[in-house]
Amino acid sequence: MVITSLADGVMSGVESVASGLSTALFDRPIRLGVTGLARSGKTVFITSLVANLMDRGRMLQLSAAREGRIEAAFLQPQPDDTVPRFDYENHLAALIGPSPHWPESTRAVSELRLSLKVRPSGLLAGLQGPRTLHLDIVDYPGEWLLDLALLDKSYAEWSADVLSRIAGRPQAQEFLTEKSKAASAGSHDEPQAQALAAAFTGYLSAARAAGFYDCTPGRFLLPGDLQGSPVLTFAPLPLEASPPRGSLWREMERRYEAYKSKVVKPFFRDHFARIDRQVVLVDALSAIHSGPQAVEDLRHAMTDILSAFKPGRNHFLTRLLGGKRVEKILFAATKADHLHHAQHPQMTAIIEALTREAQDRARFAGADTAALAMASLRTTTEEMRPHNGSELPCVRGTLLETGKQAAFYPGALPQDPAQLLTPARQGAERWLEGDYQAMAFAPAPLTLKHGSGPPHIRLDRAAEFLIGDAL
């Protein structure tokens, strides 16, 4: 009996060690960061991705789903107790309920853990049991990601950069007028500082609405509980010769540095620096509709976003020693359902060209990158309509503003992306070949088959790139 008890204890200990080792080596979580600039569809992407990983009937391009190796998927409490949970259930109800509507957009960091029970593949598949992959999805505003570029800029450099870019924008005229009244070298006056910050915040809101993407600092647009604090009460000012201590310029500089140390750095340390895989959602169609300046601004934003990452491969030793690098980065042009599928290759080529510089830098550092056109939730159907003796490839959907059904032709995207990017780089004010339209569609009423998630376009390809190797 004693020997048997000792043997049972030894076996139990061995099993516990083996279980712990297996969890450490094979059940490690993958942190997937999801970001994008305004109106890019982050909330819808996460909701549809989780729904389609739980009911995988539409995920044929995800190898593990196609091969039937995903045995189960279920939601668990996220590991970070201080981070709000992504409100998956209510967002899904908004999209597929009896009165479908778009859920509220991302305004802060949130997180969701989806655990997948997966059978291994390959020669040793029969010798191993199912393993668990924990997918921790971290949702955060793209405006906060652009703020990371501020860490490498002084207040003088940031001010000079901002003022040079906004000089000709009509949205900035009120702020520029307010700035011209201020004496940078004069003594700090708090009402004047608040007026400058309010005018600058008004410019950022107007610029974002007009389709510009360089709207930093991002917390000015999403202040949360920092509303009205000194850390959000500054604005760019031109550098004058040796501004004295106590001057308005020096106070603005102090608040800018406080913003970096108390707002930007904690976000980087607590959330961004821990990400393994990243998807950057891009509303390229809206930028094209807004004109060449918005397209060029978007290209710069994509480069700035990539500069915030530490791309590379997370080898075992790197993880063990605590170093983290983003292994995979996907740039996804959203709202592909706003175009007939005949134009999807052009849309993919445009997003490839827009992110070329960013992708080259990431690949050089060892990360895998990709770009594609996709729709997290398909809201339209396709049809051909006669027009002046030819057939136009159109999409039909429910208009968001009126609730009426309409067929829509946005214009033909060029086969060569340079026809868009070259005028944008050269500072053109409008497209020479014609205008491109953008239409807002509401979610369509859905009747989902058992085992199938919401309809999408290439969401399964996005999942295969981001997590297929881990499955």
Side-chain angles (χ1 to χ4, degrees):
M1 293 292 292
V2 174
I3 295 176
T4 302
S5 299
L6 289 174
D8 289 343
V10 171
M11 289 303 297
S12 177
V14 170
E15 290 173 356
S16 297
V17 171
S19 176
L21 185 61
S22 175
T23 299
L25 294 179
F26 302 110
D27 290 358
R28 74 174 182 90
I30 287 181
R31 291 182 66 84
L32 172 63
V34 179
T35 195
L37 302 175
R39 301 179 300 275
S40 59
K42 297 179 289 296
T43 301
V44 178
F45 174 85
I46 295 173
T47 304
S48 184
L49 176 64
V50 172
N52 277 285
L53 286 175
M54 297 183 74
D55 294 300
R56 297 170 291 279
R58 301 182 192 270
M59 300 294 279
L60 296 180
Q61 295 300 315
L62 180 61
S63 299
R66 184 179 64 251
E67 296 165 1
R69 293 191 293 103
I70 302 178
E71 295 185 348
F74 56 100
L75 293 172
Q76 295 197 73
Q78 74 268 27
D80 298 321
D81 293 332
T82 59
V83 178
R85 182 181 185 271
F86 181 83
D87 195 4
Y88 166 75
E89 291 81 6
N90 284 331
H91 293 329
L92 182 63
L95 295 175
I96 68 173
S99 300
H101 58 277
W102 297 118
E104 293 185 6
S105 60
T106 299
R107 303 191 65 82
V109 175
S110 63
E111 188 175 344
L112 191 69
R113 167 167 282 194
L114 178 68
S115 295
L116 302 166
K117 186 76 72 175
V118 187
R119 292 199 317 272
S121 61
L123 296 177
L124 299 179
L127 303 178
Q128 299 175 337
R131 58 186 179 84
T132 301
L133 171 69
H134 302 297
L135 182 63
D136 294 335
I137 304 174
V138 183
D139 177 28
Y140 61 94
E143 289 80 2
W144 295 8
L145 183 61
L146 288 175
D147 277 354
L148 295 179
L150 303 183
L151 295 176
D152 294 328
K153 293 181 180 179
S154 67
Y155 174 68
E157 293 170 336
W158 173 74
S159 293
D161 182 39
V162 170
L163 294 176
S164 66
R165 283 188 284 107
I166 71 176
R169 297 179 183 177
Q171 298 84 4
Q173 292 312 304
E174 181 179 347
F175 164 69
L176 294 175
T177 300
E178 192 73 30
K179 177 186 68 68
S180 66
K181 299 177 184 178
S184 300
S187 298
H188 163 241
D189 177 70
E190 187 57 27
Q192 185 181 60
Q194 293 183 9
L196 274 171
F200 185 60
T201 302
Y203 154 71
L204 292 176
S205 298
R208 184 173 67 170
F212 291 101
Y213 297 90
D214 55 347
C215 300
T216 58
R219 287 294 182 96
F220 278 49
L221 297 171
L222 299 170
D225 57 0
L226 296 176
Q227 179 76 45
S229 64
V231 80
L232 295 188
T233 311
F234 64 89
L237 290 174
L239 176 62
E240 299 183 10
S242 302
R245 296 180 62 182
S247 65
L248 178 63
W249 196 94
R250 289 295 185 191
E251 179 61 18
M252 291 292 186
E253 179 187 38
R254 186 191 69 80
R255 295 181 181 187
Y256 171 82
E257 294 298 333
Y259 180 82
K260 292 198 300 182
S261 63
K262 299 182 183 302
V263 178
V264 181
K265 286 183 178 179
F267 165 67
F268 179 83
R269 179 189 65 244
D270 298 338
H271 303 290
F272 183 76
R274 300 162 55 199
I275 287 171
D276 300 295
R277 316 283 171 94
Q278 177 70 49
V279 55
V280 180
L281 304 177
V282 185
D283 185 4
L285 287 177
S286 293
I288 294 171
H289 167 65
S290 298
Q293 294 182 3
V295 170
E296 177 64 5
D297 187 56
L298 176 60
R299 188 183 66 82
H300 280 294
M302 291 299 99
T303 302
D304 287 344
I305 284 175
L306 205 284
S307 69
F309 291 100
K310 296 188 298 180
R313 295 193 180 278
N314 279 330
H315 297 298
F316 175 78
L317 186 59
T318 304
R319 294 196 302 270
L320 185 64
L321 297 177
K324 293 280 287 187
R325 289 188 177 273
V326 180
E327 299 171 319
K328 291 175 176 283
I329 306 172
L330 174 67
F331 293 94
T334 58
K335 304 178 183 178
D337 58 329
H338 289 36
L339 296 172
H340 191 278
H341 75 273
Q343 293 207 60
H344 288 182
Q346 290 94 305
M347 187 72 257
T348 301
I350 289 170
I351 190 64
E352 283 273 11
L354 275 171
T355 60
R356 173 65 186 272
E357 183 177 350
Q359 290 196 67
D360 286 347
R361 291 175 59 183
R363 288 168 180 163
F364 185 81
D368 293 331
T369 71
L372 57 78
M374 60 165 288
S376 304
L377 180 72
R378 185 163 196 158
T379 63
T380 63
T381 57
E382 297 182 348
E383 60 182 57
M384 301 296 293
R385 296 182 66 88
H387 178 74
N388 293 337
S390 62
E391 295 284 317
L392 290 181
C394 300
V395 293
R396 174 178 290 277
T398 302
L399 300 181
L400 186 61
E401 291 187 359
T402 64
K404 296 181 179 179
Q405 282 276 318
F408 173 66
Y409 175 68
L413 295 175
Q415 296 286 342
D416 183 1
Q419 295 183 29
L420 293 179
L421 269 62
T422 299
R425 284 177 179 268
Q426 294 174 346
E429 296 185 0
R430 61 183 302 273
W431 304 117
L432 297 178
E433 300 298 327
D435 293 327
Y436 301 94
Q437 300 180 4
M439 189 65 70
F441 291 105
L446 297 175
T447 302
L448 300 180
K449 295 181 180 180
H450 178 70
S452 294
H456 60 81
I457 298 176
R458 300 186 190 91
L459 183 65
D460 48 354
R461 286 183 55 187
E464 174 67 19
F465 173 77
L466 290 167
I467 63 172
D469 62 314
L471 297 173

